[in-house]
Amino acid sequence: GENVEQHPSTLSVQEGDSAVIKCTYSDSASNYFPWYKQELGKGPQLIIDIRSNVGEKKDQRIAVTLNKTAKHFSLHITETQPEDSAVYFCAAAVYGQNFVFGPGTRLSVLP
Amino acid sequence: NAGVTQTPKFQVLKTGQSMTLQCAQDMNHEYMSWYRQDPGMGLRLIHYSVGAGITDQGEVPNGYNVSRSTTEDFPLRLLSAAPSQTSVYFCASRTPGANEKLFFGSGTQLSVL
């Protein structure tokens, strides 16, 4: 079955700097790669996703890149702000099947 | 639009007690699922359902039961709670079709003493 690894497990950046979180997946059939943000005491919330027919997607300060050949995808956050501090999860899925999540990255944005 | 609603938000049980975690969604999603979240282990799938009357096991189903009598509700039952079931539990539902997306509830924090 699918296995998703995520690095780093914790990340601290200065406010205004960029943050990058990387995930790798094992099942070459996976074709959907969402990213979730979880704030303290809340459920994960979808922030951006990418499908396998696209190499990059942007939404304001966040972007996701996908390398299907290497089976890895990354979340990029530019101009980080204190409200970006949270736990971020990546996931991989084959269309119509269950999502498999990475272990999460705790991002701290230092003022 | 409420989305996915979970109750209770917090619960403390003694070993051996039983309880039901409630989950309801108002988006008419056929697919619903339960995850548990433990430190360093991400979100692990317990059980899922692709429609009323249909349930299946996920990665970590032992000690949990589910049923799906309606599209809206997907309760998770702990038959005899164990300390290893101390965790945060999330219910999620998924939009259908090619543009599928997973939506989570706010979670239930469960402690088993």
Side-chain angles (χ1 to χ4, degrees):
Chain A
E2 176 66 274
N3 181 53
V4 177
E5 296 184 355
Q6 183 173 348
H7 299 281
S9 56
T10 60
L11 178 61
S12 294
V13 299
Q14 291 294 135
E15 183 177 354
D17 286 350
S18 296
V20 180
I21 303 170
K22 299 180 179 180
C23 287
T24 60
Y25 61 99
S26 60
D27 187 352
S28 57
S30 290
N31 53 14
Y32 177 59
F33 308 93
W35 285 90
Y36 286 82
K37 175 183 181 182
Q38 185 181 27
E39 297 176 341
L40 195 61
K42 297 184 179 180
Q45 187 170 19
L46 179 67
I47 55 172
I48 195 167
D49 56 10
I50 192 168
R51 299 186 188 272
S52 59
N53 57 346
V54 176
E56 183 176 3
K57 184 177 179 180
K58 290 183 179 179
D59 183 3
Q60 299 183 334
R61 294 187 298 108
I62 61 173
V64 57
T65 58
L66 171 64
N67 183 327
K68 288 187 294 182
T69 303
K71 289 191 280 188
H72 67 70
F73 56 111
S74 300
L75 178 71
H76 304 253
I77 306 174
T78 59
E79 301 173 15
T80 53
Q81 301 169 4
E83 53 265 37
D84 295 327
S85 294
V87 178
Y88 292 81
F89 292 99
C90 63
V94 177
Y95 169 67
Q97 297 185 19
N98 293 313
F99 290 24
V100 178
F101 287 85
T105 296
R106 182 174 299 278
L107 173 65
S108 299
V109 179
L110 309 173
Chain B
N1 204 351
V4 180
T5 303
Q6 290 183 239
T7 56
K9 291 191 70 67
F10 303 94
Q11 184 70 49
V12 179
L13 293 177
K14 294 182 180 179
T15 297
Q17 286 185 316
S18 62
M19 80 158 295
T20 299
L21 279 63
Q22 301 292 344
C23 177
Q25 53 94 7
D26 60 1
M27 297 176 282
N28 203 32
H29 291 165
E30 293 292 335
Y31 178 98
M32 296 184 73
S33 53
W34 278 100
Y35 291 84
R36 60 177 288 173
Q37 182 179 21
D38 302 291
M41 305 192 74
L43 296 154
R44 293 183 293 168
L45 183 66
I46 305 171
H47 284 286
Y48 66 99
S49 169
V50 298
I54 306 169
T55 63
D56 207 345
Q57 296 181 351
E59 179 185 357
V60 288
N62 292 341
Y64 308 95
N65 266 5
V66 292
S67 60
R68 185 93 180 272
S69 56
T70 67
T71 299
E72 294 77 20
D73 300 299
F74 191 42
L76 179 72
R77 280 181 284 275
L78 282 71
L79 303 176
S80 178
S84 60
Q85 294 178 304
T86 294
S87 188
V88 181
Y89 292 85
F90 290 99
C91 179
S93 71
R94 189 171 74 193
T95 55
N99 198 30
E100 58 182 8
K101 297 181 189 295
L102 197 64
F103 295 92
F104 285 89
S106 57
T108 295
Q109 185 168 324
L110 176 68
S111 295
V112 183
L113 307 178

